[in-house]
Amino acid sequence: MHSVRQWLAEARSVAVLTGAGVSAESGVPTFRDANGLWKQYRVQDLATQSAFARDPKLVWEWYNWRRSVLAEVKPNPGHYALAKLEKRIPKFALITQNVDGLHELAGSRHVLRLHGSIWEVRCIACARQSVDLRVSIPDLPPICECGGLLRPAVVWFGEPLPRDVWRAAEAAVQASDLLLVIGTSAVVYPAAGLAQLAKSSGARVVEINLAKTPITSEIDEFLQGPSGELLPRLIA
Ligand code: OAD
């Protein structure tokens, strides 16, 4: 913890990669931990184009459930600590795999959303995208004005990340002195590859997680514990 504080104090450019774990203490279920299942489905069985093509209503029921969970939760001290850090570091990028919007609610300004937002929908026919903040979308599956099916505007397995966002994330990591990887199982690529990119660009990498992950052995420091407790201590 002491050396990470020192690195943060010296850093001119910091990148942060967050995953579902950073929102866990807000009460948002993660994807791969025991509490991550909805009914009997695994995330890999729902967050795909083929699942949506097979049963759009089922996939939307899952998103409605996630919307209802997210509508009740608030950012936690980990989110707030990252918003505070952004104000202190000259060059700062927060890269998130989360679609929940909690970083923005906590006051983070420069957020690169690799996986989109659960609060937006997109037509699979005309590609029109719009914000939809309703806690529960009625009459599933919802239909666009053009008659096409609306889907959540998030990135599913097998889909490419939004190109501009990904490029900005790569550039931020390459320019950083320090990358913090927080609350992600680091198994979903390409996001998980950002830690290797940071190392090969000469940045230090620090991981905060409850448990070790595939990248833990390759990084500079592993801080084990809940991000909602460790981040405020680190950034105080
Ligand atoms: P996962 O559910 O795979 O991993 C959550 C990670 O957070 C695990 O490594 C936990 O150990 C850790 N964790 C849980 N609680 C924590 C806490 N309080 N403090 C710190 N760490 C904690 O979630 P992601 O890695 O975000 O993508 O998953 C990556 C992507 O896979 C998601 O964006 C989503 C998912 O499928 C798509 O839907 C495409």
Side-chain angles (χ1 to χ4, degrees):
M1 176 75 94
H2 177 72
S3 47
V4 182
R5 275 220 188 91
Q6 185 68 29
W7 297 340
L8 268 177
E10 291 163 1
R12 305 282 307 157
S13 176
V14 171
V16 180
L17 171 67
T18 65
V22 84
S23 296
E25 287 152 272
S26 292
V28 182
T30 55
F31 294 102
R32 289 175 184 74
D33 303 310
N35 66 351
L37 291 183
W38 174 71
K39 300 189 175 172
Q40 73 276 33
Y41 301 99
R42 297 174 312 152
V43 59
Q44 298 91 324
D45 301 330
L46 295 165
T48 67
Q49 281 182 14
S50 59
F52 191 70
R54 197 165 50 238
D55 196 343
K57 187 162 180 275
L58 175 77
V59 173
W60 264 114
E61 282 169 355
W62 179 52
Y63 279 96
N64 264 352
W65 171 73
R66 291 179 61 193
R67 278 173 175 253
S68 70
V69 171
L70 291 176
E72 298 289 320
V73 305
K74 294 190 177 62
N76 67 58
H79 295 110
Y80 288 113
L82 290 173
K84 200 162 138 191
L85 183 65
E86 177 171 10
K87 296 207 178 93
R88 216 168 80 186
I89 306 283
K91 205 162 178 294
F92 184 88
L94 177 48
I95 305 158
T96 189
Q97 300 166 85
N98 298 346
V99 298
D100 56 29
L102 290 177
H103 285 303
E104 291 89 339
L105 266 183
S108 285
R109 307 253 303 256
H110 187 197
V111 183
L112 296 169
R113 286 195 301 241
L114 292 180
H115 291 166
S117 168
I118 200 170
W119 303 111
E120 293 181 19
V121 299
R122 186 173 73 240
C123 176
I124 65 169
C126 73
R128 214 184 105 179
Q129 189 157 323
S130 58
V131 172
D132 190 329
L133 300 174
R134 285 178 293 178
V135 174
S136 181
I137 307 249
D139 304 325
L140 300 179
I143 306 291
C144 177
E145 285 164 12
C146 81
L149 274 184
L150 288 170
R151 59 166 279 180
V154 300
V155 175
W156 283 334
F157 289 101
E159 293 183 327
L161 303 187
R163 200 193 308 169
D164 294 353
V165 181
W166 176 248
R167 285 203 178 135
E170 279 185 320
V173 167
Q174 279 169 325
S176 68
D177 313 315
L178 180 66
L179 171 70
L180 304 177
V181 181
I182 308 167
T184 175
S185 55
V187 293
V188 177
Y189 278 79
L194 289 173
Q196 283 103 328
L197 180 63
K199 288 271 27 146
S200 62
S201 318
R204 288 201 168 97
V205 180
V206 173
E207 184 180 35
I208 298 178
N209 202 305
L210 294 182
K212 290 186 174 168
T213 74
I215 66 162
T216 308
S217 59
E218 295 157 35
I219 54 146
D220 297 279
E221 179 110 10
F222 174 60
L223 300 178
Q224 185 158 23
S227 52
E229 288 174 26
L230 291 178
L231 280 170
R233 279 172 52 203
L234 202 58
I235 284 152

